[in-house]
C-alpha cells in the first residue's frame, strides 16, 4: 500500500461554498432593526406608563404569536413540499388532488378560512359523530390554537406548494437525469440533488412567506386565540389609549419582521453557489 | 455472465406525440465492443441511446441489457447501476464539489464506505487527469474538465457499459481532445461503449462498427473506414459529405 497525498489544505479552503465566505461587515439594514428596538426601549424607559405596561400586558400574546408562526411554518414547509411534488407528479390522481388543493385554497381569504375552521369545522365533526354514533366526535370541542394552526398551515401550504414547484422546475432536467442514471431512485435524486439546489432558489420567496405568515397570524385574534393583537385590543378596552397601545404593538411586530428579513437575507448569502 | 450480445435491441419503436422517433430499431452490441452512432439531428440516435438505460421509455419492442429485461420499469435501477451515461451538457451536480459528485451515488446507491469511495474517486480523477480539482466546484471547471469529471463519476459505479451522448458537442475545439483521449483509453481497456458522436477521428481509432441512423431507423452499418470512404446509401453519402466538409 502506498499512501496517497491528501489535498488537505485545498479541502479546507474550497469545501466552503463559493460566495459563502463570512462577510466582514454586517448588512447595513441591521441598523434599522436596532433602531426600532431602540425606539421600543426608549419609549418603555421614558414613558413606562403606558408603554412598559403595554409590553408587560401583551407579552404572553407575543409568545403566542411567535409560537403560532414557528409551529405553523414548520408544517407549511412540509405541506408545501408534498403539494409541490404533487403538482409535479405524473400520476394523474395525485396531480389532480394537489392542483385542486392549491387552486381552491388560494381563492379563499385567510380570514374566512380561519373562521371556517374555528366555527364550521367542529360542527361538521359533531354532525359526523351523530351520524356514526361515535360519542367522542359528538362532544368534540374546538381547540382554538390547534384550529388556528390548521387553518394557517392549510392556507399557506397552498402558496408554499407553488413556490416549491417553481423552485424544483427551475433546476435543469439534466440534474435529475444524471442522478437517476447513476441508479438513484426518484426520492434519492430529489433529496440529494434537486432539493438542495432548489432550496437555494426558493429561499427568498420562502422567507417572504415566513414574514407574511408572521403578520397574518394577527388574524387569529378573531378566532379566540390570545395572540399579541388580541391582547392589545384587550388592553385598549380597559385603558382606552389606542395611540400608545397600537403604536407599541406595531413596533413589536415591526422588530420581529425586520429581524426575520435580515435573517433570511443572511441565510441567502450563506447558501449562494455558482452555477 | 451472459454469452452473446450484452445489449440486445429488438424492433424498438418510440413516439413523441405525433413524432415517430424510432421506427423499428434492431441492434446488438457485443461485450467489449465500441459502437459509434452517427446521423443528422433528429435521426433518433440520442433517443435510442437513452432507451438503453430507460431514461426514455419505448413503446414497442424489447431491450435486454446484460440479461436484464428493460421492457418495464421494474428492473430500471438494477440496469442503471450497470450502465454509465455521459451527457452532452455534463450535468454535474452544481451544488457539490467534484469529489462529492463522485461520492454521492457510491454512497447512496452502492452503499460504499466513505474511505473506500474516496479511494475510488481519487483513483478515477487521476485517471481522467484532474486530481488537483477534487475540491473545486463544477462552475469553476472548464467544459472539458467538467466532462472528464462526468466520465469519472459514471465510472465510479463500476459500470459494465458506458453510453456517451454527444460528449464533445458542447465543448470548445481545444477541449475536445482531452475528453476523447479519456474515452480512447477506456476503449483500450475493453469497456463496452456506445457513443453518439460525429468525431470521425475517435470512430476510426476506437470503433469496430459505425451505425448511420436517419429518421428513426438504422440505414447502414459498417467498419469506420468502409463507411467513411465507401458509403452505400444515398442518405449516408449526403450526410457524410456535410459532416466531413466541416
Amino acid at each position: 500500500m502506498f499512501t496517497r497525498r491528501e489535498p488537505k489544505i485545498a479541502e479546507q479552503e474550497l469545501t466552503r461554498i463559493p460566495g459563502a465566505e463570512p462577510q466582514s461587515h454586517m448588512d447595513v439594514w441591521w441598523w434599522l432593526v436596532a433602531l426600532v428596538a431602540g425606539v421600543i426601549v426608549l419609549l418603555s424607559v421614558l414613558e413606562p406608563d403606558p408603554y412598559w405596561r403595554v409590553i408587560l400586558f401583551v407579552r404572553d400574546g407575543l409568545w403566542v404569536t411567535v409560537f403560532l408562526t414557528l409551529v405553523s411554518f414548520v408544517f407549511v414547509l412540509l405541506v408545501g413540499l408534498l403539494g409541490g411534488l404533487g403538482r409535479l407528479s405524473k400520476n394523474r390522481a395525485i396531480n389532480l388532488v394537489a392542483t385542486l388543493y392549491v387552486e381552491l385554497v388560494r381563492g379563499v381569504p385567510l380570514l374566512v378560512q380561519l373562521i371556517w375552521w374555528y366555527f364550521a369545522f367542529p360542527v361538521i365533526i359533531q354532525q359526523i359523530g351523530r351520524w356514526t354514533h361515535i360519542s367522542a366526535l359528538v362532544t368534540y370541542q374546538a381547540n382554538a390554537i390547534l384550529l388556528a394552526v390548521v387553518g394557517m398551515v392549510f392556507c399557506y401550504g397552498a402558496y408554499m406548494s407553488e413556490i416549491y414547484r417553481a423552485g424544483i422546475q427551475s433546476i435543469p432536467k439534466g440534474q435529475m437525469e444524471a442522478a437517476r442514471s447513476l441508479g438513484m431512485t426518484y426520492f434519492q435524486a430529489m433529496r440529494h440533488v434537486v432539493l438542495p439546489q432548489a432550496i437555494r432558489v426558493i429561499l427568498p420567496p420562502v422567507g417572504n412567506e415566513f414574514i407574511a405568515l408572521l403578520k397574518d397570524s394577527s388574524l387569529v385574534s378573531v378566532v379566540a386565540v390570545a395572540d399579541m393583537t388580541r391582547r392589545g385590543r384587550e388592553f385598549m378596552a380597559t385603558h382606552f389609549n389606542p395611540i400608545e397601545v397600537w403604536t407599541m404593538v406595531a413596533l413589536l411586530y415591526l422588530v420581529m419582521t425586520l429581524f426575520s428579513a435580515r435573517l433570511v437575507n443572511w441565510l441567502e448569502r450563506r447558501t449562494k453557489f455558482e452555477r | 455472465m451472459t454469452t452473446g450480445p450484452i445489449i440486445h435491441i429488438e424492433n424498438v419503436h418510440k413516439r413523441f406525440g405525433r413524432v415517430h422517433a424510432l421506427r423499428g430499431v434492431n441492434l446488438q452490441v457485443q461485450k467489449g465492443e465500441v459502437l459509434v452512432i452517427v446521423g443528422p439531428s433528429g435521426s433518433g440516435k440520442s433517443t435510442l441511446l437513452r432507451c438503453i438505460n430507460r431514461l426514455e421509455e419505448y413503446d414497442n419492442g424489447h431491450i435486454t441489457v446484460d440479461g436484464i429485461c428493460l421492457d418495464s420499469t421494474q428492473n430500471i435501477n438494477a440496469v442503471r447501476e450497470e450502465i454509465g451515461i455521459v451527457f452532452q451538457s455534463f450535468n454535474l451536480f452544481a451544488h457539490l464539489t467534484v469529489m462529492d459528485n463522485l461520492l454521492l451515488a457510491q454512497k447512496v446507491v452502492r452503499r460504499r464506505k466513505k474511505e473506500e469511495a474516496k479511494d475510488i474517486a481519487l483513483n478515477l480523477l487521476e485517471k481522467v487527469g484532474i486530481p488537483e480539482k477534487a475540491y473545486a466546484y463544477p462552475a469553476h471547471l472548464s467544459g472539458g474538465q467538467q466532462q472528464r469529471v462526468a466520465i469519472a463519476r459514471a465510472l465510479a459505479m463500476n459500470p459494465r457499459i458506458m453510453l456517451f451522448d454527444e460528449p464533445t458537442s458542447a465543448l470548445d475545439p481545444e477541449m475536445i481532445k482531452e475528453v476523447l483521449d479519456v474515452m480512447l483509453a477506456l476503449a483500450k481497456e475493453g469497456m463496452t461503449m456506445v457513443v453518439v458522436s460525429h468525431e470521425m477521428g475517435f470512430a476510426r481509432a476506437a470503433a469496430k462498427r459505425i451505425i448511420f441512423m436517419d429518421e428513426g431507423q438504422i440505414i447502414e452499418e459498417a467498419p469506420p473506414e468502409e463507411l467513411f470512404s465507401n458509403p452505400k446509401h444515398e442518405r449516408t453519402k449526403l450526410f457524410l459529405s456535410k459532416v466531413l466538409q466541416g
Side-chain angles (χ1 to χ4, degrees):
Chain A
M1 274 297 285
F2 61 94
T3 48
R4 199 187 309 282
R5 188 170 47 86
E6 286 271 339
K8 279 244 164 60
I9 301 156
E11 183 172 17
Q12 292 203 330
E13 285 299 309
L14 289 168
T15 41
R16 268 192 246 120
I17 293 164
E21 296 81 5
Q23 296 283 320
S24 53
H25 60 90
M26 288 268 270
D27 176 6
V28 289
W29 290 98
W30 280 106
W31 289 111
L32 192 63
V33 184
L35 183 74
V36 176
V39 170
I40 293 173
V41 172
L42 207 66
L43 284 176
S44 12
V45 171
L46 295 182
E47 295 275 349
D49 190 20
Y51 289 111
W52 182 242
R53 287 180 58 209
V54 172
I55 291 181
L56 288 179
F57 190 82
V58 302
R59 191 176 48 185
D60 51 350
L62 188 142
W63 293 124
V64 170
T65 292
V66 170
F67 170 82
L68 270 182
T69 307
L70 290 178
V71 170
S72 300
F73 198 67
V74 169
F75 286 104
V76 166
L77 287 175
L78 288 173
V79 170
L81 178 60
L82 292 178
L85 290 177
R87 290 272 278 161
L88 292 167
S89 172
K90 288 195 189 103
N91 182 315
R92 284 269 183 82
I94 294 174
N95 192 298
L96 184 74
V97 170
T99 306
L100 269 178
Y101 164 60
V102 169
E103 294 297 333
L104 294 182
V105 168
R106 284 197 306 180
V108 180
L110 175 57
L111 183 56
V112 174
Q113 290 189 39
L114 288 171
I115 292 171
W116 188 90
W117 282 105
Y118 184 65
F119 291 104
F121 178 72
V123 180
I124 293 173
I125 293 291
Q126 290 158 9
Q127 190 62 51
I128 290 172
R130 252 169 256 131
W131 285 333
T132 54
H133 302 290
I134 301 171
S135 56
L137 295 185
V138 178
T139 57
Y140 176 78
Q141 288 299 311
N143 178 326
I145 295 248
L146 179 70
L147 288 178
V149 169
V150 168
M152 292 205 292
V153 169
F154 204 72
C155 178
Y156 268 77
Y159 292 99
M160 197 59 84
S161 300
E162 285 300 90
I163 291 173
Y164 271 103
R165 181 185 60 75
I168 291 168
Q169 277 179 331
S170 77
I171 304 305
K173 237 178 89 192
Q175 296 283 313
M176 176 58 107
E177 282 188 348
R180 295 302 307 274
S181 73
L182 288 166
M184 285 184 224
T185 63
Y186 173 80
F187 287 106
Q188 285 172 338
M190 265 295 161
R191 181 175 151 218
H192 296 290
V193 176
V194 178
L195 284 178
Q197 296 182 57
I199 281 167
R200 288 153 162 104
V201 176
I202 66 177
L203 203 63
V206 166
N208 282 342
E209 288 299 291
F210 178 78
I211 292 161
L213 182 68
L214 177 60
K215 290 184 290 178
D216 277 355
S217 72
S218 62
L219 292 172
V220 302
S221 60
V222 300
V223 287
V225 178
D227 77 323
M228 189 160 72
T229 305
R230 193 184 178 92
R231 294 293 281 163
R233 251 189 0 220
E234 285 167 7
F235 192 90
M236 186 181 67
T238 45
H239 298 77
F240 211 73
N241 41 5
I243 295 176
E244 291 86 351
V245 174
W246 294 113
T247 304
M248 187 46 86
V249 168
L251 283 170
L252 288 173
Y253 273 113
L254 199 55
V255 81
M256 286 193 285
T257 52
L258 287 174
F259 179 79
S260 308
R262 288 304 97 209
L263 207 61
V264 171
N265 189 281
W266 176 78
L267 272 175
E268 238 172 82
R269 280 186 301 179
R270 285 284 315 212
T271 56
K272 200 157 64 184
F273 71 100
E274 289 171 55
R275 180 162 279 291
Chain B
M1 281 261 293
T2 50
T3 50
I6 191 165
I7 302 173
H8 187 95
I9 300 172
E10 195 183 319
N11 194 30
V12 163
H13 286 262
K14 165 78 186 172
R15 290 174 192 80
F16 291 106
R18 292 165 70 184
V19 179
H20 201 160
L22 294 177
R23 305 168 184 240
V25 174
N26 292 290
L27 181 66
Q28 305 199 332
V29 182
Q30 303 298 326
K31 191 170 184 312
E33 188 182 354
V34 176
L35 176 75
V36 170
I37 306 176
V38 298
S41 79
S43 61
K45 52 194 192 310
S46 286
T47 307
L48 177 63
L49 195 78
R50 290 160 58 86
C51 281
I52 298 177
N53 72 349
R54 227 189 135 93
L55 274 183
E56 218 68 79
E57 288 172 33
Y58 45 93
D59 302 321
N60 313 95
H62 308 286
I63 297 180
T64 313
V65 175
D66 203 19
I68 306 169
C69 176
L70 266 183
D71 299 345
S72 74
T73 52
Q74 204 184 344
N75 303 320
I76 196 164
N77 289 324
V79 163
R80 283 173 180 168
E81 287 178 31
E82 302 287 311
I83 304 179
I85 184 165
V86 174
F87 301 92
Q88 181 177 350
S89 49
F90 327 133
N91 295 346
L92 293 183
F93 305 138
H95 62 306
L96 298 178
T97 60
V98 165
M99 178 53 83
D100 287 333
N101 262 276
L102 266 65
L103 291 182
L104 180 58
Q106 291 197 67
K107 285 193 286 198
V108 173
V109 179
R110 285 272 190 249
R111 306 227 163 267
R112 285 181 185 143
K113 294 223 167 62
K114 178 144 195 220
E115 285 309 309
E116 184 195 357
K118 209 168 170 182
D119 262 9
I120 293 171
L122 282 169
N123 263 325
L124 284 168
L125 285 178
E126 219 138 296
K127 188 170 167 178
V128 299
I130 35 175
E132 75 279 6
K133 296 287 186 190
Y135 298 96
Y137 280 84
H140 292 171
L141 302 184
S142 72
Q145 290 172 331
Q146 289 194 48
Q147 193 61 299
R148 285 185 284 155
V149 172
I151 294 173
R153 181 177 67 178
L155 290 176
M157 301 297 285
N158 302 107
R160 298 163 60 83
I161 302 167
M162 284 286 283
L163 308 176
F164 292 84
D165 190 1
E166 308 205 24
T168 56
S169 301
L171 295 179
D172 292 332
E174 75 269 22
M175 291 169 188
I176 289 177
K177 187 172 175 297
E178 63 189 53
V179 172
L180 290 181
D181 284 347
V182 170
M183 290 169 62
L184 272 173
L186 207 54
K188 285 214 180 74
E189 286 172 18
M191 175 66 77
T192 309
M193 293 164 70
V194 181
V195 183
V196 171
S197 172
H198 293 159
E199 294 296 333
M200 302 298 173
F202 173 79
R204 280 205 180 89
K208 205 167 74 180
R209 267 194 305 166
I210 291 205
I211 279 174
F212 173 69
M213 281 185 75
D214 195 15
E215 293 178 351
Q217 285 175 316
I218 293 175
I219 305 294
E220 187 169 349
E221 76 167 78
E225 275 321 316
E226 200 177 317
L227 191 106
F228 290 148
S229 56
N230 190 20
K232 292 195 180 56
H233 286 75
E234 275 311 310
R235 278 193 272 181
T236 319
K237 281 178 197 166
L238 186 69
F239 171 75
L240 286 175
S241 71
K242 281 179 192 160
V243 171
L244 293 177
Q245 244 172 33

